């Protein structure tokens, strides 16, 4: 790799050799530093009952405000965090922040569900359920206030171990959701095998469903599939009121999307909630 032995025996890093891994090394150390320097931000996006417009929860979505490079979205560092194992640290941070938010909401009499995204590495981490239980206890919040979102592809690597972790989490009373449903592989096999409570239809099918008949067919079939499996169905990527109405007509219980709200810094959520008014009538079917 990039290390070179000097005559005096010291090992130095030569930027000419293996620039890729050199950059990876510095990105990893920047991520580690970002925790200490408090550069991650918890954003949340409201999750609503589609028929009534009532807010029932929020999804936690992490962002990185880098001192030089500015705002960085999760798609630009989560895959790297997964590859290097840093995701375990980050997931704990997100769970910790979400639990703190949950406690704050509870203190104001709000019983909302916190949805948190998990990655491959998290499912292979046998310590996760214990660590999570510890976080819940410290913040005095209930496990049933949480829903953990997992993607189909993230279950693939080591299905047996992933299933073990998920079963332990579910036994704690945490809800589980299959995220981005329809975009991965073997999705049906996982629906059958895992202790899932919720199915989330990927936004790529939802966004354009008012215009695209094929998307509508896929969404309708997915909603029916979810219901037949006894699951709650959530649509992500609702960008206009037409899509909202179509989903209500199809019997989809919950949804989230830019039409209701983009993800916002978590400390703005209470203000947003006070101002939120579902378009009347929320249901026009
Ligand atoms: P996801 O979990 O499927 O989250 C939904 C993504 O869709 C979010 O992107 C959200 O901002 C976006 N979205 C929501 N409504 C709309 C809409 O109406 N239109 C469009 N075009 N997009 C919408 P975001 O925040 O950039 O996150 C991207 C992905 O990064 C997430 O997809 C999730 O897989 C991952 N991610 C985010 N935060 C975390 C985290 O804390 N841990 C882990 N492991 N992954 C995370
Ligand atoms: Mg998600
Ligand atoms: Mg999703
Ligand atoms: Mg996604």
């Amino acid at each position: 790799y990039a290390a070179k032995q000097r005559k005096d025996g010291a090992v130095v890093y030569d930027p000419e050799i293996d620039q890729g891994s050199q950059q990876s090394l510095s990105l990893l150390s920047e991520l580690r530093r970002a925790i200490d320097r408090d550069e991650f931000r918890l954003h949340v996006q409201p999750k609503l009952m589609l028929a009534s417009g009532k807010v029932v929860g929020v999804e936690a979505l992490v962002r990185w405000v880098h001192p030089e490079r500015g705002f960085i979205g999760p798609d630009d560092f989560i895959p790297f965090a997964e590859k290097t194992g840093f995701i375990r640290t980050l997931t704990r941070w997100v769970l910790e922040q979400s639990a703190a938010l949950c406690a704050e909401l509870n203190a104001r009499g709000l019983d909302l569900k916190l949805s948190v995204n998990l990655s491959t590495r998290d499912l292979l981490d046998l310590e996760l359920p214990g660590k999570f239980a510890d976080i819940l206890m410290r913040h005095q919040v209930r496990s049933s206030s949480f829903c953990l979102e997992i993607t189909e592809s993230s279950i693939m690597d080591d299905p047996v171990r992933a299933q073990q972790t998920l079963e332990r989490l579910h036994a704690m009373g945490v809800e589980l959701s299959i995220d981005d449903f329809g975009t991965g592989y073997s999705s049906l096999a996982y629906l059958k095998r895992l202790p899932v409570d919720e199915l989330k239809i990927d936004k790529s099918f939802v966004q354009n469903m008012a215009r695209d008949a094929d998307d509508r067919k896929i969404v309708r079939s997915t909603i029916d599939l979810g219901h037949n499996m006894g699951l709650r169905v959530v649509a992500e990527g609702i960008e206009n009121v037409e899509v909202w109405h179509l989903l209500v007509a199809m019997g989809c219980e919950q949804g989230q999307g830019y039409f209701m709200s983009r993800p916002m810094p978590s400390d703005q959520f209470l203000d947003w909630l006070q101002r939120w008014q579902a378009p009347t009538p929320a249901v026009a079917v």
Side-chain angles (χ1 to χ4, degrees):
Y1 51 94
K4 243 175 30 183
Q5 189 101 28
R6 271 193 344 218
K7 283 212 179 75
D8 60 7
V11 173
V12 291
Y13 280 95
D14 183 342
E16 292 294 329
I17 309 170
D18 199 357
Q19 245 200 351
S21 83
Q22 190 77 4
Q23 276 168 1
S24 298
L25 216 65
S26 72
L27 180 55
L28 181 57
S29 63
E30 284 190 70
L31 279 170
R32 288 193 176 126
R33 223 171 39 203
I35 290 273
D36 301 327
R37 297 188 180 177
D38 208 20
E39 292 168 9
F40 291 112
R41 294 284 172 276
L42 191 80
H43 281 218
V44 296
Q45 185 181 37
K47 211 166 160 182
L48 287 80
M49 292 304 292
L50 290 178
S52 63
K54 183 180 155 57
V55 178
V56 286
V58 293
E59 177 174 5
L61 296 156
V62 70
R63 277 92 180 85
W64 183 9
V65 184
H66 190 282
E68 287 108 40
R69 281 179 279 157
F71 188 93
I72 308 177
D75 287 332
D76 291 325
F77 64 91
I78 294 278
F80 180 79
E82 285 175 349
K83 212 170 62 189
T84 54
F86 178 76
I87 192 72
R88 291 186 184 191
T89 308
L90 188 61
T91 296
R92 278 170 203 170
W93 184 87
V94 174
L95 287 171
E96 189 85 45
Q97 299 290 313
S98 302
L101 176 61
C102 184
E104 192 190 332
L105 294 172
N106 288 348
R108 287 163 196 268
L110 294 166
D111 186 18
L112 299 178
K113 191 146 292 193
L114 282 292
S115 290
V116 176
N117 292 284
L118 291 189
S119 299
T120 319
R121 288 285 192 118
D122 296 313
L123 298 183
L124 302 182
D125 180 2
L126 294 173
E127 288 176 11
L128 180 72
K131 288 269 160 40
F132 187 36
D134 183 57
I135 291 171
L136 295 174
M137 205 156 65
R138 266 190 290 107
H139 290 273
Q140 296 279 299
V141 290
R142 293 183 304 272
S143 57
S144 59
S145 297
F146 286 79
C147 180
L148 300 176
E149 301 189 357
I150 53 185
T151 48
E152 302 160 55
S153 53
S154 73
I155 311 166
M156 280 307 281
D157 295 358
D158 186 345
V160 177
R161 192 144 151 205
Q163 184 165 353
Q164 256 176 22
T165 310
L166 289 173
E167 266 158 11
R168 282 173 61 192
L169 287 165
H170 201 248
M172 283 167 56
V174 182
E175 285 195 349
L176 298 178
S177 170
I178 301 255
D179 203 354
D180 301 344
F181 189 82
T183 58
Y185 38 104
S186 285
S187 42
L188 297 174
Y190 291 119
L191 266 192
K192 183 176 154 186
R193 206 180 314 147
L194 297 174
V196 180
D197 306 282
E198 176 188 281
L199 185 161
K200 245 179 137 168
I201 310 175
D202 191 67
K203 59 175 178 283
S204 61
F205 305 112
V206 176
Q207 279 167 315
N208 303 315
M209 64 182 277
R211 291 189 262 119
D212 189 314
D214 286 333
D215 283 344
R216 276 200 298 283
K217 286 175 200 163
I218 291 171
V219 169
R220 188 190 302 276
S221 311
T222 307
I223 293 169
D224 291 344
L225 170 69
H227 289 165
N228 288 333
M229 300 295 290
L231 307 176
R232 172 175 76 229
V233 181
V234 182
E236 61 172 35
I238 301 172
E239 294 185 354
N240 55 61
V241 76
E242 290 78 25
V243 168
W244 184 340
H245 288 162
L246 280 169
L247 288 164
V248 172
M250 292 177 181
C252 185
E253 286 94 345
Q254 296 182 10
Q256 52 190 99
Y258 290 175
F259 179 71
M260 298 84 153
S261 171
R262 287 183 178 251
M264 66 190 106
S266 59
D267 58 8
Q268 291 174 14
F269 172 67
L270 279 170
D271 278 343
W272 178 88
L273 188 63
Q274 258 179 354
R275 279 183 281 117
W276 169 248
Q277 269 188 314
T280 39
V283 207
V285 278

